[in-house]
PDB file of all heavy atoms in Angstrom:
ATOM      1  N   GLY A 305      -6.563  -9.655  12.505  1.00  0.00           N
ATOM      2  CA  GLY A 305      -5.930 -10.840  11.901  1.00  0.00           C
ATOM      3  C   GLY A 305      -4.895 -10.398  10.891  1.00  0.00           C
ATOM      4  O   GLY A 305      -4.444  -9.301  10.795  1.00  0.00           O
ATOM      5  N   PRO A 306      -4.417 -11.425  10.127  1.00  0.00           N
ATOM      6  CA  PRO A 306      -4.904 -12.816  10.139  1.00  0.00           C
ATOM      7  C   PRO A 306      -4.357 -13.629  11.280  1.00  0.00           C
ATOM      8  O   PRO A 306      -3.278 -13.367  11.749  1.00  0.00           O
ATOM      9  CB  PRO A 306      -4.353 -13.376   8.755  1.00  0.00           C
ATOM     10  CG  PRO A 306      -3.109 -12.559   8.572  1.00  0.00           C
ATOM     11  CD  PRO A 306      -3.401 -11.197   9.033  1.00  0.00           C
ATOM     12  N   ASP A 307      -5.153 -14.613  11.697  1.00  0.00           N
ATOM     13  CA  ASP A 307      -4.780 -15.506  12.760  1.00  0.00           C
ATOM     14  C   ASP A 307      -4.589 -16.927  12.160  1.00  0.00           C
ATOM     15  O   ASP A 307      -5.349 -17.308  11.351  1.00  0.00           O
ATOM     16  CB  ASP A 307      -5.829 -15.501  13.812  1.00  0.00           C
ATOM     17  CG  ASP A 307      -5.458 -16.359  15.017  1.00  0.00           C
ATOM     18  OD1 ASP A 307      -5.815 -17.578  14.957  1.00  0.00           O
ATOM     19  OD2 ASP A 307      -4.901 -15.875  15.967  1.00  0.00           O
ATOM     20  N   PRO A 308      -3.511 -17.620  12.540  1.00  0.00           N
ATOM     21  CA  PRO A 308      -3.191 -18.913  11.960  1.00  0.00           C
ATOM     22  C   PRO A 308      -4.312 -19.993  12.294  1.00  0.00           C
ATOM     23  O   PRO A 308      -4.366 -20.992  11.581  1.00  0.00           O
ATOM     24  CB  PRO A 308      -1.892 -19.295  12.530  1.00  0.00           C
ATOM     25  CG  PRO A 308      -1.762 -18.489  13.778  1.00  0.00           C
ATOM     26  CD  PRO A 308      -2.476 -17.170  13.515  1.00  0.00           C
ATOM     27  N   VAL A 309      -5.106 -19.740  13.261  1.00  0.00           N
ATOM     28  CA  VAL A 309      -6.169 -20.747  13.627  1.00  0.00           C
ATOM     29  C   VAL A 309      -7.547 -20.207  13.297  1.00  0.00           C
ATOM     30  O   VAL A 309      -8.278 -20.845  12.499  1.00  0.00           O
ATOM     31  CB  VAL A 309      -6.119 -21.114  15.122  1.00  0.00           C
ATOM     32  CG1 VAL A 309      -7.267 -22.060  15.486  1.00  0.00           C
ATOM     33  CG2 VAL A 309      -4.763 -21.703  15.483  1.00  0.00           C
ATOM     34  N   TYR A 310      -7.882 -19.050  13.822  1.00  0.00           N
ATOM     35  CA  TYR A 310      -9.289 -18.677  13.767  1.00  0.00           C
ATOM     36  C   TYR A 310      -9.697 -18.026  12.491  1.00  0.00           C
ATOM     37  O   TYR A 310     -10.955 -18.130  12.157  1.00  0.00           O
ATOM     38  CB  TYR A 310      -9.544 -17.718  15.004  1.00  0.00           C
ATOM     39  CG  TYR A 310      -9.405 -18.440  16.300  1.00  0.00           C
ATOM     40  CD1 TYR A 310      -8.347 -18.109  17.155  1.00  0.00           C
ATOM     41  CD2 TYR A 310     -10.223 -19.490  16.687  1.00  0.00           C
ATOM     42  CE1 TYR A 310      -8.174 -18.757  18.327  1.00  0.00           C
ATOM     43  CE2 TYR A 310     -10.056 -20.144  17.877  1.00  0.00           C
ATOM     44  CZ  TYR A 310      -9.040 -19.810  18.716  1.00  0.00           C
ATOM     45  OH  TYR A 310      -8.897 -20.478  19.873  1.00  0.00           O
ATOM     46  N   THR A 311      -8.859 -17.445  11.750  1.00  0.00           N
ATOM     47  CA  THR A 311      -9.257 -16.794  10.456  1.00  0.00           C
ATOM     48  C   THR A 311      -9.841 -17.868   9.559  1.00  0.00           C
ATOM     49  O   THR A 311     -10.887 -17.632   8.928  1.00  0.00           O
ATOM     50  CB  THR A 311      -8.123 -16.059   9.835  1.00  0.00           C
ATOM     51  OG1 THR A 311      -7.624 -15.027  10.701  1.00  0.00           O
ATOM     52  CG2 THR A 311      -8.573 -15.383   8.541  1.00  0.00           C
ATOM     53  N   ARG A 312      -9.193 -18.935   9.456  1.00  0.00           N
ATOM     54  CA  ARG A 312      -9.689 -20.047   8.478  1.00  0.00           C
ATOM     55  C   ARG A 312     -10.952 -20.618   9.003  1.00  0.00           C
ATOM     56  O   ARG A 312     -11.832 -20.981   8.137  1.00  0.00           O
ATOM     57  CB  ARG A 312      -8.613 -21.106   8.347  1.00  0.00           C
ATOM     58  CG  ARG A 312      -7.434 -20.692   7.426  1.00  0.00           C
ATOM     59  CD  ARG A 312      -6.647 -21.927   6.979  1.00  0.00           C
ATOM     60  NE  ARG A 312      -5.689 -21.560   5.963  1.00  0.00           N
ATOM     61  CZ  ARG A 312      -4.385 -21.386   6.177  1.00  0.00           C
ATOM     62  NH1 ARG A 312      -3.842 -21.548   7.399  1.00  0.00           N
ATOM     63  NH2 ARG A 312      -3.584 -21.118   5.187  1.00  0.00           N
ATOM     64  N   LEU A 313     -11.171 -20.709  10.235  1.00  0.00           N
ATOM     65  CA  LEU A 313     -12.403 -21.227  10.813  1.00  0.00           C
ATOM     66  C   LEU A 313     -13.601 -20.260  10.480  1.00  0.00           C
ATOM     67  O   LEU A 313     -14.676 -20.748  10.162  1.00  0.00           O
ATOM     68  CB  LEU A 313     -12.331 -21.418  12.317  1.00  0.00           C
ATOM     69  CG  LEU A 313     -11.317 -22.528  12.789  1.00  0.00           C
ATOM     70  CD1 LEU A 313     -11.289 -22.581  14.302  1.00  0.00           C
ATOM     71  CD2 LEU A 313     -11.740 -23.872  12.223  1.00  0.00           C
ATOM     72  N   LEU A 314     -13.311 -19.006  10.564  1.00  0.00           N
ATOM     73  CA  LEU A 314     -14.301 -17.997  10.202  1.00  0.00           C
ATOM     74  C   LEU A 314     -14.586 -18.061   8.711  1.00  0.00           C
ATOM     75  O   LEU A 314     -15.736 -17.912   8.253  1.00  0.00           O
ATOM     76  CB  LEU A 314     -13.893 -16.603  10.631  1.00  0.00           C
ATOM     77  CG  LEU A 314     -13.992 -16.360  12.101  1.00  0.00           C
ATOM     78  CD1 LEU A 314     -13.224 -15.069  12.462  1.00  0.00           C
ATOM     79  CD2 LEU A 314     -15.437 -16.161  12.530  1.00  0.00           C
ATOM     80  N   LEU A 315     -13.568 -18.251   7.902  1.00  0.00           N
ATOM     81  CA  LEU A 315     -13.745 -18.395   6.474  1.00  0.00           C
ATOM     82  C   LEU A 315     -14.617 -19.569   6.155  1.00  0.00           C
ATOM     83  O   LEU A 315     -15.535 -19.479   5.230  1.00  0.00           O
ATOM     84  CB  LEU A 315     -12.436 -18.516   5.767  1.00  0.00           C
ATOM     85  CG  LEU A 315     -11.538 -17.259   5.666  1.00  0.00           C
ATOM     86  CD1 LEU A 315     -10.182 -17.650   5.071  1.00  0.00           C
ATOM     87  CD2 LEU A 315     -12.201 -16.158   4.836  1.00  0.00           C
ATOM     88  N   ASP A 316     -14.463 -20.658   6.847  1.00  0.00           N
ATOM     89  CA  ASP A 316     -15.351 -21.810   6.680  1.00  0.00           C
ATOM     90  C   ASP A 316     -16.816 -21.505   6.999  1.00  0.00           C
ATOM     91  O   ASP A 316     -17.750 -21.934   6.220  1.00  0.00           O
ATOM     92  CB  ASP A 316     -14.903 -22.975   7.536  1.00  0.00           C
ATOM     93  CG  ASP A 316     -13.582 -23.574   7.082  1.00  0.00           C
ATOM     94  OD1 ASP A 316     -13.193 -23.345   5.943  1.00  0.00           O
ATOM     95  OD2 ASP A 316     -12.937 -24.313   7.935  1.00  0.00           O
ATOM     96  N   VAL A 317     -17.072 -20.762   8.002  1.00  0.00           N
ATOM     97  CA  VAL A 317     -18.447 -20.377   8.419  1.00  0.00           C
ATOM     98  C   VAL A 317     -19.019 -19.455   7.330  1.00  0.00           C
ATOM     99  O   VAL A 317     -20.169 -19.615   6.881  1.00  0.00           O
ATOM    100  CB  VAL A 317     -18.520 -19.708   9.759  1.00  0.00           C
ATOM    101  CG1 VAL A 317     -19.869 -19.167  10.100  1.00  0.00           C
ATOM    102  CG2 VAL A 317     -18.056 -20.688  10.856  1.00  0.00           C
ATOM    103  N   LEU A 318     -18.252 -18.474   6.908  1.00  0.00           N
ATOM    104  CA  LEU A 318     -18.732 -17.555   5.873  1.00  0.00           C
ATOM    105  C   LEU A 318     -19.049 -18.304   4.543  1.00  0.00           C
ATOM    106  O   LEU A 318     -20.078 -18.048   3.932  1.00  0.00           O
ATOM    107  CB  LEU A 318     -17.685 -16.469   5.614  1.00  0.00           C
ATOM    108  CG  LEU A 318     -17.446 -15.488   6.765  1.00  0.00           C
ATOM    109  CD1 LEU A 318     -16.226 -14.650   6.505  1.00  0.00           C
ATOM    110  CD2 LEU A 318     -18.648 -14.576   6.917  1.00  0.00           C
ATOM    111  N   LYS A 319     -18.177 -19.249   4.216  1.00  0.00           N
ATOM    112  CA  LYS A 319     -18.399 -20.006   2.980  1.00  0.00           C
ATOM    113  C   LYS A 319     -19.652 -20.882   3.112  1.00  0.00           C
ATOM    114  O   LYS A 319     -20.504 -20.957   2.191  1.00  0.00           O
ATOM    115  CB  LYS A 319     -17.216 -20.904   2.685  1.00  0.00           C
ATOM    116  CG  LYS A 319     -17.237 -21.648   1.400  1.00  0.00           C
ATOM    117  CD  LYS A 319     -15.959 -22.397   1.100  1.00  0.00           C
ATOM    118  CE  LYS A 319     -16.055 -23.143  -0.222  1.00  0.00           C
ATOM    119  NZ  LYS A 319     -14.716 -23.833  -0.458  1.00  0.00           N
ATOM    120  N   LYS A 320     -19.880 -21.470   4.264  1.00  0.00           N
ATOM    121  CA  LYS A 320     -21.025 -22.310   4.543  1.00  0.00           C
ATOM    122  C   LYS A 320     -22.305 -21.515   4.290  1.00  0.00           C
ATOM    123  O   LYS A 320     -23.309 -22.065   3.758  1.00  0.00           O
ATOM    124  CB  LYS A 320     -20.967 -22.813   5.974  1.00  0.00           C
ATOM    125  CG  LYS A 320     -22.248 -23.535   6.437  1.00  0.00           C
ATOM    126  CD  LYS A 320     -22.071 -23.934   7.948  1.00  0.00           C
ATOM    127  CE  LYS A 320     -23.408 -24.525   8.462  1.00  0.00           C
ATOM    128  NZ  LYS A 320     -23.274 -24.907   9.972  1.00  0.00           N
ATOM    129  N   HIS A 321     -22.331 -20.220   4.694  1.00  0.00           N
ATOM    130  CA  HIS A 321     -23.567 -19.423   4.595  1.00  0.00           C
ATOM    131  C   HIS A 321     -23.533 -18.487   3.389  1.00  0.00           C
ATOM    132  O   HIS A 321     -24.405 -17.603   3.307  1.00  0.00           O
ATOM    133  CB  HIS A 321     -23.728 -18.669   5.893  1.00  0.00           C
ATOM    134  CG  HIS A 321     -23.965 -19.520   7.105  1.00  0.00           C
ATOM    135  ND1 HIS A 321     -25.167 -20.124   7.371  1.00  0.00           N
ATOM    136  CD2 HIS A 321     -23.154 -19.947   8.099  1.00  0.00           C
ATOM    137  CE1 HIS A 321     -25.092 -20.776   8.449  1.00  0.00           C
ATOM    138  NE2 HIS A 321     -23.879 -20.747   8.919  1.00  0.00           N
ATOM    139  N   GLN A 322     -22.578 -18.613   2.530  1.00  0.00           N
ATOM    140  CA  GLN A 322     -22.437 -17.813   1.296  1.00  0.00           C
ATOM    141  C   GLN A 322     -22.441 -16.378   1.663  1.00  0.00           C
ATOM    142  O   GLN A 322     -23.118 -15.541   1.016  1.00  0.00           O
ATOM    143  CB  GLN A 322     -23.546 -18.190   0.299  1.00  0.00           C
ATOM    144  CG  GLN A 322     -23.556 -19.603  -0.151  1.00  0.00           C
ATOM    145  CD  GLN A 322     -24.638 -19.921  -1.152  1.00  0.00           C
ATOM    146  OE1 GLN A 322     -25.829 -19.592  -0.941  1.00  0.00           O
ATOM    147  NE2 GLN A 322     -24.278 -20.577  -2.288  1.00  0.00           N
ATOM    148  N   ALA A 323     -21.682 -16.040   2.676  1.00  0.00           N
ATOM    149  CA  ALA A 323     -21.583 -14.662   3.124  1.00  0.00           C
ATOM    150  C   ALA A 323     -20.217 -14.074   2.787  1.00  0.00           C
ATOM    151  O   ALA A 323     -19.183 -14.842   2.787  1.00  0.00           O
ATOM    152  CB  ALA A 323     -21.810 -14.572   4.654  1.00  0.00           C
TER     153      ALA A 323
END
Side-chain angles (χ1 to χ4, degrees):
D307 183 271
V309 176
Y310 296 112
T311 301
R312 285 197 171 102
L313 294 177
L314 284 166
L315 288 174
D316 289 342
V317 174
L318 292 169
K319 185 175 183 179
K320 172 183 174 182
H321 296 282
Q322 298 181 313

